[in-house]
Amino acid sequence: MLNIPFYKNAKDGSHCVQACLKSILKFYFPDKNYSFRYLDKQTNHRNNTVTWDSAMLLFLYKLNFEIIYITNFDYQKFAEKGEKYLESFWTDEVYQYQKQYSNFEKEQKLAKKLIKNKDIRILKRSAKLSDLKTLFSKGYLIMIPINPFILENKKWFGNHMVLITGITKQFIYFHDSGLPPYKNRKTTLEKFWKAASNNNSRSVDLIAVKH
């Protein structure tokens, strides 16, 4: 298991991405401190909103991280078609959730910047469990968005970023910033992948970074 610093979510519960970033940055740059306020600005995040990946990836790129981003989301189409693409790509449940907690116009502008960056390696497909195992074994730190309610055997929908800290044949360990927060939370690989795929109803995204 990797000894990655752990940070809990802010009180509003909307800083899971920023908590993961704080862990990654502290792991690679132990003498530096990054506040939620600073990371909010870098990731285009406001309280009680969803953090999309584009701004975060561009921020990590500026810090000279090597980045592999596996996603079935078509940033080219989103940059061109905007909200129309989102309606066609997501289920209605996910679309309504994102519409409530996102700024589609801002994210479309960021998508245009992202697709122009050829150094961020984007693989347009759903991530596989083998991707997770291989990239983790090669020393990448890995973030994956999950539906946390599935881990609790609930039927609600949510989107929550976690940071992987360890993998065995049967189990996976990850920093879950909460709320409530769990350092090195443990569950089976099977259950985790169900949470990542929202019970096999969506593709799995994976962000792997190394410095």
Side-chain angles (χ1 to χ4, degrees):
M1 188 183 302
L2 294 176
N3 185 23
I4 303 174
F6 175 71
Y7 294 93
K8 65 180 180 180
N9 208 329
K11 292 181 180 179
D12 69 352
S14 72
H15 286 76
C16 57
V17 170
Q18 290 73 25
C20 288
L21 280 177
K22 280 171 74 75
S23 293
I24 290 170
L25 294 169
K26 198 65 174 178
F27 180 81
Y28 284 110
F29 312 122
D31 296 329
K32 294 184 178 181
N33 295 304
Y34 296 86
S35 68
F36 276 141
R37 179 177 293 182
Y38 174 78
L39 293 174
D40 278 347
K41 184 176 180 181
Q42 301 305 316
T43 56
N44 191 40
H45 175 259
R46 294 183 178 180
N47 286 351
N48 300 311
T49 63
V50 172
T51 302
W52 287 43
D53 296 335
S54 302
M56 172 181 60
L57 295 172
L58 292 167
F59 167 62
L60 291 171
Y61 168 74
K62 289 179 182 177
L63 294 178
N64 297 313
F65 275 85
E66 178 186 345
I67 303 167
I68 298 175
Y69 182 35
I70 305 177
T71 179
N72 206 33
F73 188 85
D74 194 325
Y75 279 88
Q76 183 70 47
K77 288 184 178 179
F78 176 47
E80 295 171 356
K81 298 181 179 180
E83 191 170 346
K84 288 185 178 180
Y85 170 69
L86 302 179
E87 288 183 274
S88 66
F89 179 76
W90 286 325
T91 64
D92 185 63
E93 179 183 38
V94 175
Y95 172 74
Q96 295 300 334
Y97 175 88
Q98 290 285 359
K99 187 173 184 178
Q100 182 177 356
Y101 296 108
S102 302
N103 185 323
F104 292 158
E105 187 176 345
K106 280 190 176 181
E107 294 302 334
Q108 186 179 10
K109 291 178 181 178
L110 285 166
K112 291 177 181 179
K113 291 183 179 180
L114 181 64
I115 61 177
K116 290 180 181 178
N117 189 312
K118 303 305 179 185
D119 293 316
I120 297 174
R121 187 180 174 193
I122 301 177
L123 305 179
K124 196 190 147 314
R125 59 175 174 81
S126 180
K128 303 173 184 177
L129 188 56
S130 58
D131 295 318
L132 170 60
K133 293 178 178 179
T134 298
L135 290 168
F136 188 79
S137 70
K138 290 183 177 180
Y140 287 88
L141 297 191
I142 297 173
M143 291 179 282
I144 295 182
I146 64 171
N147 180 349
F149 296 112
I150 290 176
L151 299 178
E152 308 292 341
N153 298 313
K154 296 177 180 177
K155 295 183 179 181
W156 305 331
F157 175 77
N159 206 45
H160 182 61
M161 190 72 81
V162 299
L163 177 63
I164 311 305
T165 58
I167 303 173
T168 65
K169 287 185 178 180
Q170 288 184 298
F171 297 99
I172 187 167
Y173 301 83
F174 54 97
H175 282 346
D176 179 352
S177 64
L179 299 169
Y182 297 95
K183 181 180 180 179
N184 293 317
R185 186 174 185 177
K186 177 185 177 183
T187 191
T188 63
L189 280 167
E190 181 182 7
K191 191 161 191 175
F192 181 84
W193 211 248
K194 285 184 179 179
S197 64
N198 196 35
N199 277 326
N200 301 312
S201 70
R202 71 176 184 188
S203 58
V204 178
D205 289 352
L206 181 154
I207 300 169
V209 300
K210 184 193 291 188
H211 198 278

